[in-house]
C-alpha cells in the first residue's frame, strides 16, 4: 500500500507523543486514521490539538470503522495483549508500546495470534535504534569480546518524583500497572540485555524493594544477579529515586571489555585471550596486555519515530523489523523473574514458572489499594527514554 493509515489506541502521555509526530507528517508513508480514547475528559482537548482526526470512545466502533490499516497501542500495560489479539483478528497490523504485557502467558498467546495472522507486529523498543547498542551487539556477535563472562548494568537515571506517580490513578499500582521500574522504565534495558546476549539465564536471584522511596505499591529499587549455562553472570541495578543517576553498561569477555557510559563506547581488546594467557604465563602478578580500540559511533538514533517508520516500511515494502513484537516476551520474562524471586525469597530458574508468577501477582492485585490522591495529568514525555 502507498499510505498506511494508523489508528492510535490510548492518548495518554506516550500515545499523544506518537500522535504528534504522525500528525506532523514525520513518518513517510503514514497518516493518522483515527483515535480511540475512552476517557471522555480527553476528547475536547484532543479535538483541539488534532483537528480533523476521527475520534472514537467506543472500542468496537473504532475497530469496525474501516478508517485504518494498522494500530498503535499506547494503553496501560494489562490491555496490550488483549488489544493486539483483537487487532490481529480484525486484520490490522500492530505496533505496541512497551511492555508487551504483564503476564508472559498472555504475551505468548498474543505472539501466537500474531504468527497465525501473518500481519506485521512490532514493539516500541526504540533503544534498539541507538547506534551505540547496535555497535556493541555486533562486537559481541562477531566474537570480538570472545566468550562473554559478565555483564553489569547500572541504570539509575530513571528519576521519577512523587508527582509523576500521582499523575494517574493506574500508575505504580499492582492492579493498574503490574509493577514499577521494571515494567515501566526498564523494559528497554531488559530488552537490550537479551538482544545483546542472545541467551536465556539459567537462574536469577532478585532483590526488589517496594515503595522504598516513593508512596507507591510497586518496586522502585532493584538489584538482580543472573547466572548462565555458559558460566557467564550478570548484575542488573535500577531505581527511580537516585540523583544524579548512572547509566553504565559493562560487558566483559575472554578477549576484552566494553563499557558504555555517557553515550560513549570504550573497547579494550586483549593482545592474548585470557584463558591462553593464564595457561602460559608463569610470572605471578601479571595480566594480559590490552589496547584501547577506537570505535567511532554516530549518535543519530531515530528513537520512537525510527521504530514507527520501520513498522510502516515493513508493511509497505517488507523491510525487516528492528523490534519484532514476538521478542517482547524475553525482557518481560526477566522482569517477572526478578519480582517473583523477591516474593518467594529464593532463586528463580528458567523457563519461568508462569503459573506461580501469576498466582503471586494476583495476590497483590487483589490487595491493591490504588491511589485516591492521583490527578489525571498528561505529561510531557519528550525527555523520556
Amino acid at each position: 500500500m502507498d499510505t498506511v493509515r494508523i489508528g492510535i489506541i490510548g492518548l495518554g502521555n506516550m500515545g499523544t507523543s506518537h500522535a504528534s509526530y504522525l500528525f506532523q507528517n514525520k513518518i513517510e508513508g503514514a497518516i493518522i486514521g483515527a483515535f480511540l480514547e475512552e476517557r471522555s475528559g480527553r476528547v475536547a482537548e484532543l479535538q483541539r490539538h488534532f483537528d480533523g482526526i476521527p475520534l472514537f470512545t467506543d472500542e468496537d466502533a473504532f475497530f469496525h470503522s474501516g478508517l485504518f490499516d494498522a494500530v498503535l497501542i499506547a494503553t496501560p500495560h494489562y490491555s496490550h495483549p488483549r488489544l493486539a489479539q483483537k487487532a490481529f483478528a480484525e486484520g490490522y497490523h500492530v505496533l505496541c508500546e512497551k511492555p508487551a504485557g504483564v503476564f508472559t502467558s498472555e504475551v505468548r498467546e498474543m505472539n501466537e495470534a500474531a504468527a497465525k495472522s501473518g500481519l506485521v507486529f512490532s514493539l516500541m523498543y526504540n533503544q534498539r535504534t541507538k547506534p551505540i547498542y547496535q555497535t556493541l551487539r555486533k562486537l559481541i556477535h562477531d566474537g570480538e569480546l570472545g566468550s562473554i563472562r559478565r555483564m553489569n548494568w547500572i541504570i539509575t537515571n530513571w528519576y521519577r518524583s512523587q508527582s509523576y506517580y500521582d499523575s494517574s490513578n493506574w500508575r505504580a499500582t499492582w492492579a493498574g500497572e503490574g509493577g514499577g521500574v521494571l515494567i515501566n522504565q526498564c523494559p528497554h534495558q531488559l530488552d537490550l540485555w537479551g538482544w545483546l546476549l542472545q541467551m536465556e539465564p539459567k537462574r536469577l536471584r532478585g532483590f526488589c524493594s517496594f515503595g522504598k522511596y516513593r508512596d507507591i505499591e510497586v518496586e522502585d529499587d532493584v538489584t538482580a544477579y543472573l547466572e548462565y549455562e555458559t558460566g557467564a553472570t550478570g548484575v542488573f541495578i535500577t531505581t527511580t529515586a537516585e540523583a544524579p543517576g548512572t547509566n553504565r553498561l559493562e560487558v566483559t569477555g575472554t578477549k576484552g571489555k566494553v563499557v558504555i557510559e555517557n553515550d560513549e563506547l570504550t573497547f579494550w581488546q586483549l593482545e592474548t585471550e585470557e584463558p591462553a594467557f593464564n595457561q602460559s604465563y608463569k610470572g605471578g602478578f601479571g595480566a594480559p596486555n590490552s589496547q584501547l580500540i577506537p570505535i567511532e559511533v554516530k549518535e543519530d538514533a531515530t528513537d520512537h519515530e525510527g521504530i514507527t517508520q520501520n513498522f510502516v516500511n515493513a508493511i509497505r515494502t517488507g523491510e525487516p523489523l528492528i523490534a519484532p513484537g514476538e521478542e517482547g516476551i524475553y525482557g518481560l520474562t526477566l522482569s517477572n523473574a526478578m519480582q517473583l524471586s523477591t516474593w518467594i525469597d529464593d532463586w528463580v530458574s528458567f523457563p519461568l514458572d508462569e503459573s506461580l508468577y501469576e498466582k503471586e501477582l494476583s495476590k497483590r492485585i487483589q490487595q491493591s489499594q490504588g491511589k485516591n490522591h492521583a490527578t489525571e495529568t498528561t505529561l510531557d514525555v519528550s525527555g523520556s527514554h
Side-chain angles (χ1 to χ4, degrees), residues 188-202:
H188 291 300
Q189 282 66 44
L190 295 175
D191 169 64
L192 289 173
W193 188 286
W195 185 65
L196 291 167
L197 291 183
Q198 293 291 292
M199 57 182 181
E200 184 178 67
K202 177 178 65 174

Side-chain angles (χ1 to χ4, degrees), residues 30-257:
I31 60 172
I32 300 174
F35 291 147
L36 172 60
E37 174 52 65
E38 296 181 342
R39 294 172 299 171
S40 58
R42 288 279 290 147
V43 171
E45 182 182 359
L46 291 169
Q47 289 174 332
R48 285 196 305 271
H49 284 291
F50 302 103
D51 184 44
I53 303 297
L55 192 152
F56 294 84
T57 57
D58 180 79
E59 184 179 303
D60 289 334
F62 170 81
F63 274 105
H64 297 153
S65 68
L67 294 174
F68 47 88
D69 312 294
V71 298
L72 195 166
I73 300 170
T75 55
H77 308 153
Y78 282 105
S79 61
H80 291 179
R82 182 188 67 80
L83 288 167
Q85 289 182 74
K86 185 166 186 175
F88 291 133
E90 296 287 347
Y92 299 119
H93 305 285
V94 174
L95 172 57
C96 186
E97 257 296 345
K98 55 79 182 172
V102 177
F103 296 113
T104 52
S105 58
E106 292 181 344
V107 171
R108 197 177 307 282
E109 292 173 359
M110 176 178 66
N111 288 350
E112 292 169 357
K116 184 178 180 180
S117 73
L119 295 162
V120 175
F121 178 33
S122 182
L123 272 168
M124 192 58 75
Y125 281 137
N126 55 291
Q127 294 292 295
R128 291 193 186 192
T129 72
K130 292 177 73 69
I132 202 164
Y133 296 125
Q134 294 172 351
T135 300
L136 173 56
R137 188 171 190 258
K138 189 173 188 306
L139 287 171
I140 291 172
H141 291 279
D142 285 353
E144 297 296 326
L145 291 176
S147 299
I148 301 303
R149 287 184 162 176
R150 182 169 55 85
M151 185 155 93
N152 291 347
W153 205 331
I154 302 174
I155 173 69
T156 60
N157 62 340
W158 291 118
Y159 187 83
R160 296 292 187 268
S161 67
Q162 187 66 44
S163 62
Y164 165 83
Y165 293 113
D166 291 346
S167 67
S168 182
N169 283 318
W170 65 274
R171 197 177 294 283
T173 64
W174 293 118
E177 197 164 15
V181 63
L182 288 175
I183 203 164
N184 192 315
Q185 286 78 38
C186 282
H188 291 300
Q189 282 66 44
L190 295 175
D191 169 64
L192 289 173
W193 188 286
W195 185 65
L196 291 167
L197 291 183
Q198 293 291 292
M199 57 182 181
E200 184 178 67
K202 177 178 65 174
R203 63 176 190 163
L204 173 156
R205 185 67 172 93
F207 302 89
C208 302
S209 295
F210 306 101
K212 182 177 183 179
Y213 299 115
R214 299 291 183 263
D215 182 17
I216 58 177
E217 298 177 346
V218 294
E219 78 279 352
D220 57 2
D221 188 83
V222 178
T223 298
Y225 173 75
L226 302 88
E227 292 182 346
Y228 293 83
E229 290 288 354
T230 62
T233 62
V235 175
F236 187 83
I237 299 172
T238 190
T239 183
T240 55
E242 193 167 296
T246 297
N247 185 355
R248 179 183 173 90
L249 172 62
E250 183 173 315
V251 184
T252 301
T254 55
K255 291 183 179 180
K257 178 174 74 173

